[in-house]
Amino acid sequence: MSYENIREEELKNRIAETYFPDFDCAKIIGNVDFCVSASETQSLLWAEAKKGKADILKSIVQLILTIGKARTFDKTLPPAFLGAFDSEKMAFIPYNDIQEIFYQNDFNWNVTPSNYETKEFGIVLEKVSQTIEENSLLFFFGKDDQEIHFFVRNNFILGKTTSSKIQIDKNNFITIYNKWLQTVKPTIAVNWIIAKKNGIIDADFYLADLLSQENESLKDNLYVLLKKDYYELERKFDEMGMFDSKKTSFFDKQKAHQQFWNKYQRPPREQYWDYIIERRDLLVPQDVRERKGSFFTPQIWVELSQQYLAEVLGENWQDEYYIWDCAAGTGNLLAGLVNRDRIWASTLDRQDVDVMKDRIKNGANLWENHVFQFDFLNDSFEKLPLKLREIVNDPEKRTKLVIYINPPYAEASNINTLQSRKEGNRGVEKSMVNKKYASMLGQGNAELFAQFLTRIYFEIEGCRLAQFSKLKILNGQHFIDFRNFFLAKLKKCFVIPADTFDNVNGQFPIGFMIWDTNQKEKFKKIKTAVYAKNGKLIGRKNYFSYDNSQYINDWIKPFRAEKNDSTIIGKFPFKGNDFQNQNLIQIVHHKMDYNIEAGQFLINKNNLIKASIYFAVRKCIPATWLNDRDQFLYPKKKWEKDAEFQNDCLIYTLFTNNIRSKYGTNHWIPFSEEELGAKESFDSKFMTKFIQGKLKPEGNGTLLETEKQRTTALEFSAEAKAVFEAGRKLWQYYHSKINEPNFFGMTEKANTNASLYDIREYFQGRNEKGRMKSNSEDEIYSQCMADLRSTLEVLARKIETKVYEYGFLME
């Protein structure tokens, strides 16, 4: 928000109404521009007001000269704060911090306060500038409104002599971080692009600020420390045994830093320190998270995974097995484990190692020398701590080693612009592991977590693997090569919603899988437990490998029409074979550009039934997080003899497509003009003739001869007829509306050839962004649509049973 292009008096009125509605702002005290009063005798704020944009520091100096010249403080009790504001910002400074300036000797107060060129203005500016910069609180209208209201509410109190700052806790430290990014980060003397390539991120500077007192970081184990007016990092002893470190300061002599932290109480209460450090992952940029796996595993799933491990390995598993989390992050996956003698944690980042060691000092159940920096995709096992290396190198001990991880899941396509980084932290496709095993991984080599599992399988052979990941390794088409070599027994698995993990977007399942790599077995199928977001068991679900399967796109592709076919009536894109692509499967006009990067299935009368079956099968079952990766398959031949199923799919398709007549002739109107009360003939009667069996035989008869020769009308089920009737009422209402005379006795220019999409657009309209609105104010239309959707839902559930019966999906 900004108050540009308004006069100063209006600006003062707006500020009073917006930020000081509970106070008297009409009082005039001397020559002060703006006053906030709590009573007849007590002021809370005297401020200088400037229209447009001004130098706030100079505005406050002008206010000081105005007050000093009139000796206003001798006539009226001075306020708690002085301040200044312009069209975009407002600053406050405690009066006590600058009051000494009014009592200096030999000073000429009889100058014009608004003349910034006088010697006296310069003297005051020099004397108070440091105090103002260090102690003022600067807020920007709009983005800082919440902070302004907090400040006023907690400081504009009669008798209050010290200012209250905003408390920082586990609920707002991320919000404050986002504000810090805009205000403080740009003033730190760091080239952030180069720093990021070397594993240094802004979050560590923020934590150094946050966990400090009087600009001194309080926790020595932080990767970056704030030392009054500079930051220190990479503290170590060099090869000569001398302590060394890197330092950097501020571009603006720490001005923005000081003004920002004047608003907030540092440090937070000590009870929040461990949580904030442990949740450093929430401050890590998305691309870095994906590369390093900085996705915090929610405690509810940590506890459940350890329960599953106890069920598979026995209740004494922590005393009988060794445990290594080789993608540990800040170590939260290991919370709850009790035998620290048998636990190791490694991570890519030195910063995360420091966090874990700090947590150890605060009670985390790990040994410091069991926590170490290790790049699992690039480093040699010779770098492992001695005892862990002995376990990894011993075939017998390896059978008692559990690799317990939530590995990073970045894909090469997401980060392939990352350049080489120090210590071998390269892009997904450039790791040592990928170079070694790329030919075996096939297309699966683009996934970081697959590279983790591959190294574990081949180089820690015989271990137990307990891992969180997407389910691609079980059923993804790109992971067929992976499943061919990854021969291990999947002992147990549960699935959970992916969006329960912080900053993970999308509706898909994450699985926790326990593998025994000592048992050589190719994965084919497993029944998993399914848990809701609250941790409640809600059912079970089968997952299949689909190896050696043919998919629904393999089935439909041979039936598509040729591009030069003059009888094409529509099209849809080939886009994957799973539910995650459901929204992209839409039947549109063949002249419309839609998903043109995908293959296109062109529809004509010869393949209309098959196209309708494909469309209805892909759309009749709602996509959910749970079925997101389920694959649609090449069907059994039983569907060919089921005319009712075929016709059900046709009706479902007729009333769910996205044909738009603006792109050309609409061939999809399933009614005659007489049925709808249309005032003129439709441009195409294709669909009514198709349904009635009145299309003339054409073509060479190579695709679907029975359709070409059919001369009898299609017969529909009761469920399909209900949809048809609901649709008829909708079309009839549309035609009745477009033919109504308006106020001048004239009818609107109507689209007689309207499709379902056109009718929805007519009644619902579009918003300011050009998107179709989700509903309409026309109650009759809304009821017609509700009836149509209700009957479609009944028909969809009927089709769904056949989807499984005919093998389009596996149960």
Side-chain angles (χ1 to χ4, degrees):
M1 182 192 302
S2 124
Y3 298 102
E4 294 182 8
N5 303 318
I6 62 174
R7 299 174 64 180
E8 187 176 299
E9 287 304 313
E10 184 181 353
L11 174 63
K12 290 190 284 187
N13 292 337
R14 294 275 192 92
I15 297 302
E17 292 170 2
T18 304
Y19 302 108
F20 306 100
D22 299 327
F23 300 95
D24 178 7
C25 299
K27 196 171 183 180
I28 298 175
I29 298 177
N31 294 319
V32 175
D33 282 346
F34 183 81
C35 302
V36 177
S37 302
S39 69
E40 283 294 321
T41 59
Q42 181 64 61
S43 296
L44 296 172
L45 172 69
W46 294 347
E48 182 73 22
K50 296 288 184 184
K51 68 177 183 178
K53 297 178 182 179
D55 184 323
I56 286 292
L57 179 60
K58 291 182 178 178
S59 296
I60 292 177
V61 172
Q62 180 178 337
L63 176 66
I64 291 171
L65 288 171
T66 299
I67 295 169
K69 181 177 183 178
R71 306 294 291 179
T72 310
F73 47 82
D74 288 338
K75 306 165 188 173
T76 307
L77 285 174
F81 295 94
L82 297 183
F85 58 85
D86 59 19
S87 65
E88 66 172 359
K89 57 190 177 292
M90 176 186 292
F92 302 93
I93 185 169
Y95 180 85
N96 292 339
D97 288 347
I98 56 88
Q99 65 178 342
E100 289 183 5
I101 193 71
F102 296 121
Y103 300 101
Q104 59 182 323
N105 295 321
D106 302 322
F107 184 81
N108 176 23
W109 290 98
N110 294 314
V111 295
T112 303
S114 59
N115 185 352
Y116 292 1
E117 303 301 322
T118 65
K119 179 182 71 173
E120 287 77 12
F121 191 96
I123 292 171
V124 175
L125 179 63
E126 183 180 357
K127 282 183 175 292
V128 302
S129 60
Q130 184 175 354
T131 300
I132 293 173
E133 287 177 359
E134 290 181 355
N135 299 318
S136 66
L137 292 101
L138 180 64
F139 303 95
F140 285 83
F141 301 134
K143 75 173 185 176
D144 291 334
D145 277 1
Q146 185 176 350
E147 285 86 351
I148 298 174
H149 289 301
F150 175 91
F151 180 81
V152 171
R153 185 171 61 250
N154 288 275
N155 292 288
F156 280 38
I157 301 170
L158 281 176
K160 188 175 176 67
T161 58
T162 58
S163 61
S164 296
K165 298 183 177 182
I166 297 172
Q167 297 290 327
I168 304 171
D169 56 33
K170 64 181 182 179
N171 297 315
N172 67 4
F173 80 99
I174 299 173
T175 302
I176 295 169
Y177 165 67
N178 290 328
K179 293 177 181 292
W180 179 94
L181 287 177
Q182 299 174 37
T183 306
V184 179
K185 177 184 173 180
T187 70
I188 301 173
V190 172
N191 183 318
W192 294 105
I193 296 175
I194 296 174
K196 187 177 180 182
K197 292 174 184 176
N198 288 276
I200 298 169
I201 60 174
D202 50 52
D204 292 310
F205 289 79
Y206 171 68
L207 290 177
D209 281 358
L210 182 62
L211 299 174
S212 69
Q213 192 167 38
E214 297 180 358
N215 281 345
E216 288 273 3
S217 294
L218 298 172
K219 297 181 78 67
D220 292 338
N221 279 334
L222 293 175
Y223 183 68
V224 176
L225 298 179
L226 176 62
K227 298 286 190 178
K228 292 296 185 184
D229 59 354
Y230 67 91
Y231 295 99
E232 185 179 77
L233 62 159
E234 291 197 5
R235 302 172 301 282
K236 60 185 177 181
F237 289 95
D238 62 20
E239 62 276 5
M240 298 179 64
M242 303 293 182
F243 182 79
D244 191 19
S245 65
K246 286 185 170 61
K247 300 176 183 177
T248 192
S249 56
F250 300 86
F251 290 126
D252 67 343
K253 298 182 181 181
Q254 210 174 0
K255 178 180 176 181
H257 181 274
Q258 190 70 45
Q259 290 180 343
F260 180 83
W261 288 113
N262 281 344
K263 306 172 192 175
Y264 303 101
Q265 182 64 50
R266 291 185 296 166
R269 293 179 185 174
E270 194 165 352
Q271 69 197 68
Y272 300 126
W273 291 9
D274 287 345
Y275 176 85
I276 290 171
I277 292 172
E278 184 181 357
R279 296 316 312 271
R280 172 182 176 271
D281 64 293
L282 294 174
L283 309 176
V284 176
Q286 185 75 11
D287 61 331
V288 178
R289 281 170 171 267
E290 292 177 352
R291 172 66 182 92
K292 298 176 180 177
S294 302
F295 286 94
F296 189 89
T297 311
Q299 190 61 31
I300 187 174
W301 308 135
V302 172
E303 294 172 2
L304 186 61
S305 68
Q306 292 175 11
Q307 177 185 323
Y308 268 60
L309 280 164
E311 292 174 5
V312 171
L313 303 178
E315 62 180 349
N316 297 320
W317 74 281
Q318 294 189 52
D319 296 322
E320 297 172 0
Y321 287 83
Y322 305 102
I323 302 162
W324 179 19
D325 182 352
C326 55
T330 57
N332 82 293
L333 189 59
L334 302 174
L337 300 181
V338 296
N339 192 345
R340 60 180 174 174
D341 293 336
R342 304 175 77 90
I343 303 171
W344 284 266
S346 64
T347 184
L348 188 64
D349 267 351
R350 179 76 249 169
Q351 296 97 312
D352 285 338
V353 172
D354 293 341
V355 168
M356 281 192 278
K357 290 186 175 181
D358 184 79
R359 292 181 61 206
I360 290 170
K361 290 183 178 180
N362 288 280
N365 195 31
L366 297 166
W367 289 115
E368 277 203 34
N369 60 1
H370 282 205
V371 175
F372 57 100
Q373 185 177 9
F374 187 76
D375 184 345
F376 190 82
L377 297 183
N378 290 292
D379 288 345
S380 165
F381 285 162
E382 292 303 310
K383 292 186 177 181
L384 298 178
L386 178 60
K387 188 173 181 180
L388 178 59
R389 188 164 76 243
E390 290 175 350
I391 295 169
V392 169
N393 290 335
D394 187 322
E396 186 174 341
K397 287 183 178 179
R398 281 202 302 266
T399 64
K400 289 293 184 178
L401 174 62
V402 178
I403 305 297
Y404 181 33
I405 54 172
N406 180 8
Y409 68 77
E411 298 180 30
S413 58
N414 291 341
I415 64 168
N416 57 14
T417 58
L418 292 179
Q419 298 177 9
S420 296
R421 295 172 55 196
K422 197 166 66 176
E423 298 187 19
N425 301 337
R426 296 175 284 275
V428 173
E429 294 178 331
K430 295 183 179 180
S431 73
M432 175 273 291
V433 169
N434 184 60
K435 290 178 180 178
K436 187 174 181 179
Y437 299 109
S439 62
M440 302 183 68
L441 275 164
Q443 290 177 297
N445 78 323
E447 299 269 6
L448 274 181
F449 80 90
Q451 295 180 29
F452 268 79
L453 302 190
T454 300
R455 187 179 195 188
I456 292 166
Y457 180 79
F458 284 115
E459 300 181 23
I460 315 179
E461 186 179 0
C463 72
R464 306 298 180 97
L465 171 60
Q467 45 88 208
F468 287 90
S469 75
K470 298 178 182 180
L471 300 181
K472 293 179 179 182
I473 56 171
L474 302 184
N475 58 16
Q477 287 179 261
H478 289 175
F479 282 79
I480 293 174
D481 291 333
F482 175 88
R483 289 191 291 274
N484 283 337
F485 72 74
F486 192 86
L487 304 180
K489 174 71 173 178
L490 181 53
K491 306 288 286 188
K492 203 159 188 175
C493 176
F494 66 77
V495 295
I496 51 183
D499 62 3
T500 57
F501 290 74
D502 290 320
N503 292 324
V504 176
N505 298 318
Q507 297 296 306
F508 58 90
I510 292 289
F512 177 71
M513 296 159 241
I514 303 174
W515 302 86
D516 185 348
T517 66
N518 210 33
Q519 291 183 250
K520 304 303 180 185
E521 177 181 303
K522 188 173 182 180
F523 171 75
K524 293 182 180 178
K525 173 185 175 181
I526 190 170
K527 178 174 280 191
T528 69
V530 180
Y531 291 89
K533 291 181 179 181
N534 61 3
K536 182 179 179 181
L537 179 67
I538 58 174
R540 298 190 179 275
K541 177 174 174 56
N542 287 322
Y543 285 95
F544 307 89
S545 69
Y546 301 112
D547 292 346
N548 303 316
S549 296
Q550 286 186 289
Y551 296 88
I552 194 168
N553 285 344
D554 300 321
W555 167 71
I556 196 64
K557 279 180 183 178
F559 302 107
R560 57 184 163 181
E562 298 295 329
K563 290 183 179 179
N564 59 0
D565 189 332
S566 62
T567 65
I568 294 172
I569 63 171
K571 66 178 181 179
F572 59 78
F574 296 116
K575 195 69 176 176
N577 293 288
D578 53 19
F579 276 96
Q580 68 175 317
N581 290 292
Q582 186 186 72
N583 285 341
L584 299 176
I585 306 298
Q586 303 290 348
I587 290 179
V588 299
H589 199 281
H590 56 284
K591 293 182 180 179
M592 175 183 174
D593 285 341
Y594 175 72
N595 240 318
I596 55 177
E597 73 281 359
Q600 301 289 318
F601 186 92
L602 303 177
I603 306 170
N604 64 11
K605 69 174 184 177
N606 298 325
N607 61 23
L608 176 58
I609 291 294
K610 282 188 172 72
S612 297
I613 292 171
Y614 177 92
F615 182 78
V617 164
R618 297 280 317 247
K619 303 288 279 188
C620 71
I621 302 171
T624 68
W625 71 267
L626 189 57
N627 66 18
D628 184 71
R629 297 298 189 263
D630 287 4
Q631 303 288 321
F632 288 93
L633 303 174
Y634 198 111
K636 303 169 187 176
K637 289 191 174 184
K638 289 172 61 178
W639 72 268
E640 295 177 0
K641 297 181 179 179
D642 190 341
E644 184 172 308
F645 167 70
Q646 297 172 30
N647 296 341
D648 283 346
C649 290
L650 174 64
I651 292 299
Y652 182 88
T653 301
L654 289 178
F655 294 96
T656 53
N657 65 72
N658 274 347
I659 294 291
R660 301 170 68 178
S661 61
K662 66 180 283 187
Y663 291 102
T665 304
N666 174 17
H667 299 286
W668 294 76
I669 303 174
F671 310 106
S672 68
E673 294 91 339
E674 291 74 20
E675 288 179 275
L676 304 182
K679 299 302 182 184
E680 59 182 313
S681 178
F682 297 149
D683 291 343
S684 171
K685 297 179 174 59
F686 169 86
M687 199 57 67
T688 52
K689 287 184 176 181
F690 181 85
I691 291 171
Q692 294 166 5
K694 294 182 178 181
L695 290 176
K696 295 179 180 180
E698 294 178 5
N700 57 22
T702 58
L703 291 178
L704 200 58
E705 189 67 31
T706 54
E707 281 189 24
K708 292 181 180 181
Q709 302 297 331
R710 178 173 55 82
T711 58
T712 58
L714 298 177
E715 295 184 7
F716 297 113
S717 65
E719 295 84 356
K721 288 178 180 177
V723 172
F724 204 84
E725 183 57 32
R728 189 194 337 264
K729 290 180 180 178
L730 175 64
W731 257 265
Q732 286 174 339
Y733 182 62
Y734 168 77
H735 279 273
S736 72
K737 289 292 288 184
I738 64 174
N739 290 316
E740 284 182 354
N742 62 19
F743 179 77
F744 301 101
M746 301 176 64
T747 57
E748 299 181 38
K749 185 178 180 181
N751 180 5
T752 303
N753 297 286
S755 65
L756 175 64
Y757 186 99
D758 297 331
I759 293 173
R760 290 174 54 226
E761 184 178 38
Y762 175 84
F763 285 106
Q764 294 170 209
R766 295 185 177 275
N767 61 23
E768 62 278 1
K769 294 182 179 179
R771 296 176 182 172
M772 190 185 297
K773 296 177 182 177
S774 59
N775 50 42
S776 169
E777 296 180 0
D778 189 310
E779 294 182 3
I780 297 177
Y781 162 78
S782 298
Q783 186 59 54
C784 288
M785 281 301 300
D787 293 343
L788 178 59
R789 287 171 179 151
S790 176
T791 56
L792 277 168
E793 176 64 21
V794 173
L795 182 61
R797 299 290 69 79
K798 181 185 177 188
I799 295 172
E800 180 180 357
T801 63
K802 300 294 185 179
V803 169
Y804 291 101
E805 181 180 341
Y806 296 149
F808 288 101
L809 286 174
M810 298 176 70
E811 284 190 280

